[in-house]
Amino acid sequence: MSVHHEDELYLEMEKRMRKTATAKMWMCVTACVIACGLSGAALAEEAVPAAIAPTGDVPDNSLIQTTNVLFLLLGAVMILAMHGGFAFLEVGSVRKKNQVNALNKIICEWSFSAVLYFLIGYPISRGVSFLVPISQLETNHGVECVRFFLLLGFAACVPAIISGGVAERAKFWTNVLAGGIFVGLAYPVIEAFTWGQYNSWLAGADGWLAKFPFCRAGFHDFAGSVVVHATGGWLALPAILLLGPRLKRYEDNAIKVSSIPFLALGSWALIVGWFGFNVMSAGSLSAVSGLVAINSLMAMVGGTIAAMMISRNDAGFVHNGALAGLVAICAGSDLFHPICALVVGAIAGALFVFLFRVETEDWKIDDVLGVWPLHGVCGTWGGIAAGIFGTEALGGRGGVSFFSQLLVTAAVIVFTLVVSTAVYGVLKITAGIRMDAHEEKIGSDLAIHLIQANPEEAL
Amino acid sequence: MSVHHEDELYLEMEKRMRKTATAKMWMCVTACVIACGLSGAALAEEAVPAAIAPTGDVPDNSLIQTTNVLFLLLGAVMILAMHGGFAFLEVGSVRKKNQVNALNKIICEWSFSAVLYFLIGYPISRGVSFLVPISQLETNHGVECVRFFLLLGFAACVPAIISGGVAERAKFWTNVLAGGIFVGLAYPVIEAFTWGQYNSWLAGADGWLAKFPFCRAGFHDFAGSVVVHATGGWLALPAILLLGPRLKRYEDNAIKVSSIPFLALGSWALIVGWFGFNVMSAGSLSAVSGLVAINSLMAMVGGTIAAMMISRNDAGFVHNGALAGLVAICAGSDLFHPICALVVGAIAGALFVFLFRVETEDWKIDDVLGVWPLHGVCGTWGGIAAGIFGTEALGGRGGVSFFSQLLVTAAVIVFTLVVSTAVYGVLKITAGIRMDAHEEKIGSDLAIHLIQANPEEAL
Amino acid sequence: MSVHHEDELYLEMEKRMRKTATAKMWMCVTACVIACGLSGAALAEEAVPAAIAPTGDVPDNSLIQTTNVLFLLLGAVMILAMHGGFAFLEVGSVRKKNQVNALNKIICEWSFSAVLYFLIGYPISRGVSFLVPISQLETNHGVECVRFFLLLGFAACVPAIISGGVAERAKFWTNVLAGGIFVGLAYPVIEAFTWGQYNSWLAGADGWLAKFPFCRAGFHDFAGSVVVHATGGWLALPAILLLGPRLKRYEDNAIKVSSIPFLALGSWALIVGWFGFNVMSAGSLSAVSGLVAINSLMAMVGGTIAAMMISRNDAGFVHNGALAGLVAICAGSDLFHPICALVVGAIAGALFVFLFRVETEDWKIDDVLGVWPLHGVCGTWGGIAAGIFGTEALGGRGGVSFFSQLLVTAAVIVFTLVVSTAVYGVLKITAGIRMDAHEEKIGSDLAIHLIQANPEEAL
């Protein structure tokens, strides 16, 4: 920590920077809130008739309803815990001078995501508004409220994934703004056509996609390999490229991570929560399947072992390998035989280790947490794998089409690349997306949050 | 760590201190156990007829019973995890020389709380004793046992809250003793009249309170803004005042917290567990409500965003702001529209940041973790807010009275201030409540636990 | 950290060591996989008819089935979280130069355990193979899949327990191999005769054991005091003895633990998850019992308080005392009165503190985390205690026999000592079980994983 020698000089500068930053911050927020209010109101108007009409619940059996609310709530809570995991995975993987920033980014983006997805995203994706009388919200023990909470957990993964890629150099507020646009608009559009109100187009057995040549079934993504993870990972890539690598990243002395224990802590929180992410993706207790749980387990295990073998027992790769397996299993976790889940996970673990090295070392793309190989590539692999190992020929449950998987996955990649390039491109030439060199050098903790991760030691 | 230079000198002193301390400790414990035994036996005598008669369970449907046991158990477990959160929130917020003490305080006070609430508190609050044959305990799949576990989680919040306020200078054993008195006697009395066996007095629609002028409904506190958090926060205040500030707290070089990551870890554990705290406050699965979950979420989010804006993105305030929102939503989480929950949470977040600064900087009250603004004030605000935003006029579910909320909340504040002043006052002039200056200087970890948080580094 | 001065010299040596190590690693893995494949195939052949015939589920009521799947899944997930707890308990209890190793050991052994228990262990213990068509796996919402997940959590405790005993000096791969043999073969045999397909022999009310003189009931181990914890603890003892103490362990300057906060974090994760370990041991929701929960709580509390009193408020003992209570309560948690559970837990806490000191100080057995007193002895105590406090004479539920408990517990101790001595003995004289002195000196993190826990600081 050579930081405090230079402190006095910087402090004055920082104070001045703060004033401008705060003004900008309030403008961003005001704009956001106004936009939300208007859109929300508009959409609510439309959505009222459809509001709160959960499917699949038999209205005269309250135990079915209450256990269902419990089921979705538990999924939501476990996914909320995953966001704590995202935070600590990043805390451990960045330098100590950016740990506070990692923590604040995750909890703040979660919070903005909740508001935006509540007002705009969920109405877009499911045609349901919450700006209705409270009596409607309480229908069927408030099941739609917990469904929102669960699906927010998925939506908020998008900024959390991006956060790991742009770490240590992105400006706080423009990154929050980009994340807000993705959670409020881009992700809900993808969700609407795959899981939401227009899902019959792409996912329906007789839908638009299923009628395509070679596509004999709709698109299948049980828990979001493509919808959530590929979306997040591919949205991150243009941001990472537009930002450029961290200062001195490719000079002699490689930048090192700060803490393997915190990295592992984050990974464990993600692993444990992931069983809510996958199993509760069933959407209602009546559709719960133990097969999804064992497949998630097998993929996690396959990813861990593969990453361990290839990386020669490297701690970072091992703990991310488990996540790679879990990313890849989401789409087909209800379709695979557990043996195939093990294979799908192992391939994902290997893909991650290999591509993280190629990306960051050979291509010199400074993707700090490897979110493109982890979420982008393994998510893509998961989407395609569902079309391979999900077929009856390979012991799967069938009803899935390789070409449908390929087409929609490709479409999501193209869509996210375009959206992210546009959003981050515009932000780059207007508000700016990168901290200045001085801020980056002292670290985002001091530059943005005026504090260090261990303030007592910094005294 | 300039500690080890002075070590040899101190070590001898410590050993001598230990002997006296140990003797005192055993006396405290013996007295406690005897008192408990007697009270427990006396109360059990009375309570036997009422024992284990859970309400609302239909005896002939075992699935209703078993899912109910599961529901309460999950709540209990999530609240248990919150106590781990209390521990780490304090670990991160104190200096490194008091981290071990924070950890030991929380797990030990949890343990003493369990015994005292089991023997004395629960019989007082609910008129149910567990000193009955095992066959009675197993009635309805042992639902009363898990209800005890759940409600213990609430009760044990009281010493856990106080712990954060008196940190870094309180004597271990007198603080445990005070906490034991609160959990065993003071809190159960409050609980009895609001949630427990005498709840019809204050909470009943036709009760004593509801007949007061201007009070057209009973007191409503769904998950404990007042009963748990205001109680804990206001009990802490006299203790903090009687202790006085930490040495050198108000000299030039401000005392700094030790670890933002541990602080954030504690906050995340609290946030995640809080959804058990609030949702499972329904008391039985048949009363579960998704509205409670979404309102808790919105308040957490509102508190986070407000704290972030006002504190200019300070990590400590942001992670406590989420908690402020959650404290405030407890009382009315079943009454509010989610939009109002967002507002209630945001006001709580703002209140916390503002009052923490006023309290600790202007008034020079050294409330280490800010438990008075966080639990005391935001809990009070939550109790009152239930009477405002819970009304039908503001989109709430109604059946709540502003004056009833105000009166009971005020009564709880007065009661807790009196009790705490009496208990800590008597302890101060008898056994003493504060470590001596030498102990405080070397830190409670070395002084009390004879170890430091990172013993290897201290070698 | 005096490590980096010697780095250059060591680095070359390490590289050479790596090559051999990697070759060995691949050989181990290949052998394992082939063995598994063959055994699995053989067993599956036999097992097919029995596959997936869960007991106790009424096939025509889907809500019973789905809530049951949820129940078992929640147990499995909570036990998975415990493995994160094992990791951090060890991270905190070893020196900083072995923290990464602790993390990698736990997640890797979990992963290998999953594969081996899936292919070999579960078929041995329950006569059920998963190498069957997917349609069979989906029977009754895939309940057998989540049951596997739950029981894997128990099985994988065995290597996780051993890991704590052999920490800081064991070779990675031979330890993984030994763990694999235990999870794949030794543990499933114990499980088969107590909980699994042959459980009527020992556990049945009219079984082989119950007909023994003095034994008027079968062996009872509700949640694994003996089956899981004694097994793990006693398997660890020969390994610890064959390894010998860490270098300089019994020289003047005692080896100190690295981090009380991480130790406590691990303990909290274990405590919270343990309520899944114990309550979900019921095996189906229809057998859930709140009594199990309150007894687990009371034992945890008793263990904590006893350890605290005897150790004079030592942080390590307090946080392990809670675990000692929980280890001891497993066997009789469905039988005891809560007051007896408190006593059983308190005795366990006291046993742990006393025997840990005797073992590591007087007998100079270098059991790093005290897994023999914690799991071995307290597990044994729990098994026997079930035969004492579980009797109706002491307020228990009855149906348990002191002699049956004693006999089977003794048999498990003898069996595990023999198996472990054989496995570690053979490994010691062939592949070797201990790192060389140089590796141990630089720490397993650098020697095996080529990284330190805080790489940035090590720069």
Side-chain angles (χ1 to χ4, degrees):
Chain A
M1 290 290 125
S2 64
V3 169
H4 35 295
H5 299 301
E6 320 173 30
D7 257 17
E8 293 180 39
L9 222 116
Y10 293 152
L11 232 71
E12 189 48 38
M13 289 173 64
E14 278 157 40
K15 273 184 198 156
R16 258 176 285 165
M17 295 189 315
R18 296 298 299 168
K19 283 187 193 159
T20 336
T22 311
K24 278 190 202 159
M25 178 185 90
W26 280 104
M27 279 165 54
C28 283
V29 172
T30 314
C32 250
V33 169
I34 292 172
C36 294
L38 292 175
S39 327
L43 285 155
E45 204 68 35
E46 250 185 282
V48 172
I52 321 299
T55 44
D57 293 321
V58 184
D60 62 309
N61 190 328
S62 78
L63 192 57
I64 290 180
Q65 286 172 18
T66 55
T67 51
N68 203 30
V69 167
L70 178 61
F71 178 72
L72 296 175
L73 173 79
L74 291 170
V77 168
M78 288 168 76
I79 299 174
L80 174 59
M82 288 174 72
H83 285 267
F86 277 119
F88 280 91
L89 191 71
E90 188 173 333
V91 164
S93 304
V94 297
R95 284 166 293 176
K96 210 164 181 178
K97 65 182 174 185
N98 294 302
Q99 287 183 337
V100 170
N101 185 241
L103 293 165
N104 269 30
K105 273 196 298 181
I106 296 294
I107 196 166
C108 292
E109 296 201 313
W110 166 270
S111 299
F112 287 114
S113 296
V115 175
L116 292 168
Y117 192 66
F118 179 82
L119 291 175
I120 312 178
Y122 200 78
I124 290 176
S125 119
R126 299 186 70 87
V128 172
S129 165
F130 293 103
L131 305 178
V132 295
I134 193 171
S135 58
Q136 266 183 272
L137 296 177
E138 289 190 289
T139 312
N140 293 336
H141 290 266
V143 68
E144 197 70 19
C145 296
V146 284
R147 186 166 290 139
F148 164 77
F149 187 7
L150 179 80
L151 290 173
L152 165 64
F154 290 86
C157 284
V158 167
I161 290 168
I162 296 170
S163 175
V166 304
E168 306 209 71
R169 61 206 189 284
K171 273 194 181 179
F172 194 90
W173 282 104
T174 44
N175 196 51
V176 164
L177 192 62
I181 294 169
F182 300 151
V183 171
L185 297 172
Y187 172 80
V189 168
I190 297 174
E191 198 189 7
F193 286 91
T194 49
W195 291 348
Q197 56 178 330
Y198 310 120
N199 77 336
S200 60
W201 286 39
L202 298 182
D206 294 316
W208 180 78
L209 178 67
K211 289 175 184 150
F212 250 57
F214 305 108
C215 298
R216 276 166 308 183
F219 172 69
H220 183 91
D221 186 0
F222 185 70
S225 286
V226 176
V227 177
V228 178
H229 293 284
T231 295
W234 288 98
L235 279 171
L237 189 60
I240 295 164
L241 290 167
L242 285 165
L243 275 170
R246 288 166 290 174
L247 292 177
K248 302 196 180 177
R249 170 65 180 87
Y250 292 110
E251 291 181 13
D252 272 358
N253 241 337
I255 290 176
K256 299 251 171 139
V257 308
S258 58
S259 167
I260 300 292
F262 279 135
L263 183 159
L265 177 62
S267 176
W268 271 103
L270 283 160
I271 290 168
V272 172
W274 219 298
F275 288 86
F277 196 96
N278 284 7
V279 176
M280 277 67 166
S281 279
S284 80
L285 179 59
S286 61
V288 71
S289 164
L291 184 65
V292 173
I294 202 172
N295 280 342
S296 304
L297 172 69
M298 283 294 145
M300 173 234 157
V301 155
T304 308
I305 294 176
M308 182 203 197
M309 295 296 172
I310 297 175
S311 76
R312 294 188 178 169
N313 221 334
D314 176 88
F317 280 124
V318 164
H319 286 89
N320 276 291
L323 307 181
L326 285 161
V327 165
I329 197 64
C330 291
S333 54
D334 61 330
L335 299 178
F336 298 161
H337 191 282
I339 293 288
C340 294
L342 186 69
V343 173
V344 168
I347 292 172
L351 269 177
F352 171 67
V353 177
F354 177 70
L355 282 176
F356 178 75
R357 284 176 176 164
V358 169
E359 180 198 23
T360 59
E361 297 303 328
D362 300 346
W363 301 344
K364 301 210 185 304
I365 299 174
D366 188 17
D367 179 357
V368 182
L369 269 72
V371 300
W372 174 72
L374 184 55
H375 300 275
V377 176
C378 293
T380 302
W381 159 237
I384 294 166
I388 302 171
F389 295 95
T391 56
E392 289 181 48
L394 283 160
R397 215 176 61 183
V400 72
S401 149
F402 177 75
F403 284 99
S404 295
Q405 298 301 110
L406 199 66
L407 279 175
V408 175
T409 305
V412 166
I413 293 173
V414 171
F415 177 74
T416 50
L417 285 176
V418 169
V419 167
S420 178
T421 308
V423 169
Y424 275 102
V426 169
L427 284 173
K428 184 173 181 174
I429 54 177
T430 54
I433 56 174
R434 182 161 179 156
M435 299 194 297
D436 65 36
H438 164 68
E439 291 174 305
E440 189 175 338
K441 197 182 150 210
I442 61 171
S444 50
D445 291 1
L446 266 184
I448 298 174
H449 310 282
L450 304 183
I451 199 166
Q452 288 178 277
N454 296 84
E456 191 188 4
E457 287 171 23
L459 266 178
Chain B
M1 292 289 127
S2 64
V3 169
H4 34 296
H5 301 299
E6 320 172 31
D7 257 17
E8 294 180 38
L9 222 116
Y10 292 152
L11 232 72
E12 189 48 37
M13 288 173 64
E14 280 157 39
K15 272 184 199 157
R16 259 177 284 165
M17 295 190 312
R18 295 299 299 166
K19 281 186 195 162
T20 336
T22 311
K24 278 188 203 161
M25 177 185 92
W26 280 104
M27 279 164 56
C28 283
V29 172
T30 313
C32 250
V33 168
I34 293 173
C36 295
L38 293 175
S39 326
L43 285 155
E45 204 68 36
E46 252 185 282
V48 171
I52 321 298
T55 46
D57 292 322
V58 183
D60 62 308
N61 190 328
S62 78
L63 193 57
I64 290 180
Q65 287 172 17
T66 55
T67 52
N68 204 30
V69 167
L70 178 62
F71 178 72
L72 296 175
L73 173 80
L74 291 171
V77 168
M78 288 169 75
I79 299 174
L80 174 59
M82 288 175 72
H83 284 267
F86 277 119
F88 280 91
L89 191 71
E90 188 173 333
V91 164
S93 303
V94 297
R95 284 166 292 177
K96 210 164 182 180
K97 65 183 174 184
N98 295 301
Q99 287 183 336
V100 170
N101 185 241
L103 293 164
N104 269 31
K105 274 196 297 181
I106 296 295
I107 197 167
C108 292
E109 295 201 313
W110 166 269
S111 299
F112 288 113
S113 297
V115 174
L116 292 169
Y117 192 67
F118 179 82
L119 291 175
I120 312 178
Y122 200 78
I124 289 176
S125 119
R126 300 187 69 88
V128 172
S129 165
F130 293 104
L131 304 178
V132 294
I134 194 170
S135 58
Q136 267 183 271
L137 296 176
E138 290 190 288
T139 313
N140 292 338
H141 290 266
V143 69
E144 198 70 19
C145 296
V146 283
R147 185 167 291 138
F148 163 77
F149 186 8
L150 178 80
L151 289 173
L152 165 65
F154 290 86
C157 284
V158 167
I161 290 167
I162 295 170
S163 175
V166 303
E168 306 208 70
R169 61 206 189 284
K171 273 194 181 180
F172 193 90
W173 283 104
T174 45
N175 195 51
V176 164
L177 193 61
I181 294 169
F182 300 151
V183 171
L185 296 172
Y187 172 81
V189 168
I190 297 174
E191 198 189 7
F193 285 92
T194 50
W195 292 348
Q197 56 178 329
Y198 310 119
N199 77 336
S200 60
W201 285 39
L202 298 182
D206 295 318
W208 179 80
L209 179 67
K211 288 174 185 149
F212 251 59
F214 305 109
C215 297
R216 276 167 307 185
F219 172 69
H220 184 92
D221 186 0
F222 185 71
S225 286
V226 177
V227 176
V228 178
H229 293 283
T231 295
W234 288 98
L235 280 171
L237 189 59
I240 295 164
L241 290 168
L242 286 165
L243 275 170
R246 289 166 288 174
L247 293 177
K248 303 197 180 178
R249 170 66 179 85
Y250 292 109
E251 291 181 13
D252 272 359
N253 241 336
I255 291 176
K256 299 251 171 139
V257 308
S258 58
S259 167
I260 300 292
F262 279 135
L263 183 159
L265 177 62
S267 177
W268 271 103
L270 283 160
I271 290 168
V272 172
W274 218 297
F275 288 87
F277 196 97
N278 284 6
V279 176
M280 278 65 166
S281 279
S284 80
L285 180 59
S286 61
V288 71
S289 164
L291 184 64
V292 174
I294 202 172
N295 280 342
S296 304
L297 173 69
M298 283 295 145
M300 173 236 158
V301 154
T304 308
I305 294 176
M308 181 203 198
M309 295 297 171
I310 296 175
S311 76
R312 293 189 180 168
N313 221 333
D314 175 89
F317 281 124
V318 164
H319 286 88
N320 276 292
L323 307 181
L326 286 160
V327 166
I329 198 63
C330 291
S333 54
D334 62 330
L335 299 178
F336 298 161
H337 191 282
I339 292 288
C340 294
L342 186 70
V343 173
V344 168
I347 291 172
L351 269 177
F352 172 67
V353 177
F354 177 70
L355 282 176
F356 179 75
R357 283 174 177 165
V358 169
E359 180 197 23
T360 60
E361 297 304 328
D362 300 346
W363 300 344
K364 301 210 185 306
I365 299 175
D366 188 18
D367 180 358
V368 183
L369 269 73
V371 299
W372 174 72
L374 183 56
H375 300 275
V377 177
C378 293
T380 302
W381 159 238
I384 294 167
I388 302 170
F389 295 96
T391 57
E392 288 181 47
L394 283 160
R397 216 177 59 184
V400 72
S401 150
F402 177 75
F403 285 99
S404 296
Q405 298 301 111
L406 198 65
L407 279 175
V408 176
T409 305
V412 165
I413 293 173
V414 172
F415 177 75
T416 49
L417 285 176
V418 170
V419 167
S420 178
T421 307
V423 169
Y424 275 102
V426 170
L427 284 173
K428 185 174 181 174
I429 55 177
T430 54
I433 55 175
R434 182 160 179 156
M435 300 193 298
D436 64 37
H438 164 67
E439 290 174 306
E440 189 175 338
K441 198 182 149 210
I442 62 170
S444 50
D445 291 1
L446 266 184
I448 298 174
H449 310 283
L450 305 182
I451 199 167
Q452 288 179 276
N454 297 85
E456 190 188 5
E457 287 171 23
L459 265 178
Chain C
M1 292 289 125
S2 64
V3 169
H4 33 295
H5 299 300
E6 320 172 32
D7 257 19
E8 292 181 38
L9 224 116
Y10 293 152
L11 231 72
E12 188 49 37
M13 287 174 64
E14 279 157 39
K15 273 185 197 154
R16 257 176 284 164
M17 295 190 314
R18 295 298 301 167
K19 281 187 194 160
T20 336
T22 311
K24 280 189 202 161
M25 177 186 91
W26 280 104
M27 279 164 57
C28 283
V29 172
T30 314
C32 250
V33 169
I34 292 172
C36 293
L38 292 176
S39 328
L43 285 155
E45 204 69 37
E46 253 186 278
V48 173
I52 321 297
T55 46
D57 292 322
V58 184
D60 63 309
N61 191 328
S62 79
L63 192 57
I64 290 180
Q65 287 173 18
T66 55
T67 51
N68 203 30
V69 167
L70 178 62
F71 178 72
L72 296 175
L73 173 79
L74 291 171
V77 167
M78 288 168 76
I79 299 174
L80 174 59
M82 287 175 73
H83 285 267
F86 277 119
F88 279 91
L89 191 71
E90 187 172 333
V91 165
S93 303
V94 298
R95 284 166 292 178
K96 210 164 180 178
K97 65 182 174 185
N98 295 300
Q99 287 183 337
V100 170
N101 185 241
L103 293 165
N104 269 31
K105 274 196 298 181
I106 296 295
I107 197 167
C108 291
E109 295 202 313
W110 166 269
S111 299
F112 287 114
S113 296
V115 175
L116 292 168
Y117 192 67
F118 180 82
L119 291 175
I120 312 178
Y122 200 79
I124 289 175
S125 121
R126 301 188 69 87
V128 171
S129 165
F130 292 103
L131 304 178
V132 294
I134 193 170
S135 58
Q136 267 182 271
L137 296 176
E138 290 191 288
T139 312
N140 292 337
H141 290 267
V143 69
E144 197 70 18
C145 296
V146 284
R147 185 168 290 138
F148 163 78
F149 187 8
L150 179 80
L151 290 173
L152 165 65
F154 290 86
C157 283
V158 167
I161 289 167
I162 296 170
S163 174
V166 304
E168 306 209 69
R169 61 206 189 284
K171 274 194 180 179
F172 194 91
W173 282 105
T174 44
N175 195 51
V176 163
L177 192 63
I181 293 168
F182 300 151
V183 171
L185 297 172
Y187 172 81
V189 167
I190 298 174
E191 197 189 8
F193 285 92
T194 50
W195 291 349
Q197 57 178 329
Y198 309 120
N199 76 335
S200 60
W201 285 39
L202 298 182
D206 295 317
W208 180 79
L209 178 67
K211 289 174 184 148
F212 250 58
F214 305 107
C215 297
R216 276 167 307 183
F219 172 69
H220 183 91
D221 187 0
F222 185 70
S225 287
V226 176
V227 177
V228 178
H229 293 284
T231 295
W234 288 98
L235 280 171
L237 190 59
I240 295 164
L241 290 167
L242 286 166
L243 274 171
R246 288 166 289 174
L247 293 176
K248 305 197 180 177
R249 169 66 179 85
Y250 291 109
E251 291 181 14
D252 271 359
N253 241 336
I255 290 175
K256 299 252 170 136
V257 308
S258 58
S259 168
I260 300 293
F262 279 135
L263 184 159
L265 177 62
S267 177
W268 271 104
L270 283 160
I271 291 168
V272 172
W274 219 298
F275 288 87
F277 195 96
N278 285 7
V279 176
M280 277 66 166
S281 278
S284 80
L285 179 59
S286 60
V288 71
S289 165
L291 184 64
V292 173
I294 201 172
N295 280 342
S296 304
L297 173 68
M298 283 295 144
M300 173 237 158
V301 156
T304 307
I305 294 176
M308 182 204 197
M309 294 297 172
I310 297 175
S311 76
R312 296 191 177 166
N313 221 334
D314 176 89
F317 281 124
V318 164
H319 286 88
N320 276 291
L323 307 181
L326 286 161
V327 166
I329 198 63
C330 291
S333 54
D334 61 330
L335 299 178
F336 299 161
H337 191 281
I339 293 288
C340 293
L342 186 69
V343 173
V344 168
I347 292 173
L351 269 177
F352 171 67
V353 177
F354 177 70
L355 283 175
F356 179 75
R357 283 175 177 165
V358 169
E359 179 198 25
T360 59
E361 298 303 329
D362 300 344
W363 300 344
K364 301 209 184 305
I365 299 175
D366 188 17
D367 180 357
V368 182
L369 268 71
V371 300
W372 174 72
L374 184 56
H375 300 275
V377 177
C378 293
T380 302
W381 160 238
I384 294 166
I388 302 170
F389 294 95
T391 57
E392 289 180 47
L394 283 161
R397 216 176 59 183
V400 72
S401 150
F402 177 75
F403 284 98
S404 295
Q405 298 301 112
L406 199 65
L407 279 175
V408 176
T409 305
V412 165
I413 292 173
V414 172
F415 177 75
T416 49
L417 285 177
V418 170
V419 167
S420 178
T421 308
V423 169
Y424 275 103
V426 169
L427 284 173
K428 184 173 181 174
I429 54 177
T430 53
I433 56 175
R434 183 160 178 156
M435 299 193 298
D436 64 37
H438 164 67
E439 290 174 305
E440 190 176 338
K441 198 181 148 213
I442 61 171
S444 50
D445 291 1
L446 265 183
I448 298 173
H449 310 282
L450 305 183
I451 199 167
Q452 287 178 276
N454 297 85
E456 190 188 4
E457 286 170 23
L459 264 178

